[in-house]
Amino acid sequence: MTAASSTRRAGLYVRLSHVKDNEQATEDATERQEERARGLCLSRGWDVVRVFADTGISAFRAPGQRRAPYRPDFEAAVAALESGEITALVFFKFDRLVRDPADFERLLAICEQTGSVLVSVTEPLDTSTPIGESFARMLVGQARMESQNTSARLQAQRQQ
């Protein structure tokens, strides 16, 4: 990206695993994520060109599953990065974006090929550096572990 074209075209990704008790609570949760992501883009002088939102869809790949659940807007965000429609994908927190290492590695490879960036509102890291890339991988691993722990607790609760 040259100095003349330094403004990034940002896509915002928001996700809510489970629809809340009412429509307003669900809307509020994704709106808060979007608002914070827009604020980050504004502070960096980036143009928000598209919002991607998956609600009621988990990003967790259960043990034994080959792939994480299909998320239409996540896949649309991946395609937008690949095509160059967006040059930054901004999200509230890594566990909102990915909980599966394979999904993260796919995104990282696309970013390396296109010069795009992944930016978390709440986790200050830069995936273009070795330490940032390593830290992002750890966050994805932690998100997966937390999903597995939550799943185990819910299964135990149902059995009880």
Side-chain angles (χ1 to χ4, degrees):
M1 206 166 251
T2 65
S5 65
S6 62
T7 299
R8 288 200 177 267
R9 294 176 313 280
L12 310 182
Y13 182 77
V14 299
R15 183 179 67 80
L16 187 64
S17 299
H18 302 286
V19 174
K20 301 292 183 186
D21 292 338
N22 64 58
E23 190 174 312
Q24 186 61 47
T26 296
E27 210 169 276
D28 288 350
T30 55
E31 282 180 5
R32 279 191 303 273
Q33 290 178 41
E34 182 179 338
E35 181 181 320
R36 297 276 302 275
R38 281 185 184 279
L40 184 141
C41 291
L42 180 64
S43 74
R44 294 186 181 193
W46 295 353
D47 296 327
V48 175
V49 298
R50 193 160 167 197
V51 177
F52 305 91
D54 285 315
T55 56
I57 304 172
S58 175
F60 173 64
R61 177 176 52 87
Q65 284 183 319
R66 290 184 157 192
R67 295 193 56 168
Y70 179 76
R71 297 177 284 150
D73 272 26
F74 174 80
E75 294 303 329
V78 170
L81 281 168
E82 283 180 311
S83 72
E85 176 187 349
I86 61 174
T87 58
L89 185 57
V90 181
F91 45 92
F92 182 69
K93 194 174 175 192
F94 256 96
D95 72 354
R96 298 297 83 208
L97 180 67
V98 292
R99 289 191 172 200
D100 185 70
D103 280 344
F104 176 70
E105 293 300 330
R106 186 164 52 121
L107 280 173
L108 190 59
I110 292 165
C111 288
E112 289 172 349
Q113 291 167 358
T114 62
S116 300
V117 294
L118 302 175
V119 180
S120 169
V121 172
T122 59
E123 297 134 343
L125 59 98
D126 177 354
T127 58
S128 69
T129 66
I131 189 105
E133 186 179 313
S134 178
F135 187 59
R137 282 188 173 104
M138 288 185 344
L139 287 174
V140 172
Q142 289 294 113
R144 178 156 172 76
M145 182 183 71
E146 184 56 33
S147 287
Q148 289 172 322
N149 289 341
T150 300
S151 178
R153 282 193 303 270
L154 290 171
Q155 285 178 345
Q157 180 184 26
R158 283 186 208 113
Q159 288 174 352
Q160 191 180 28

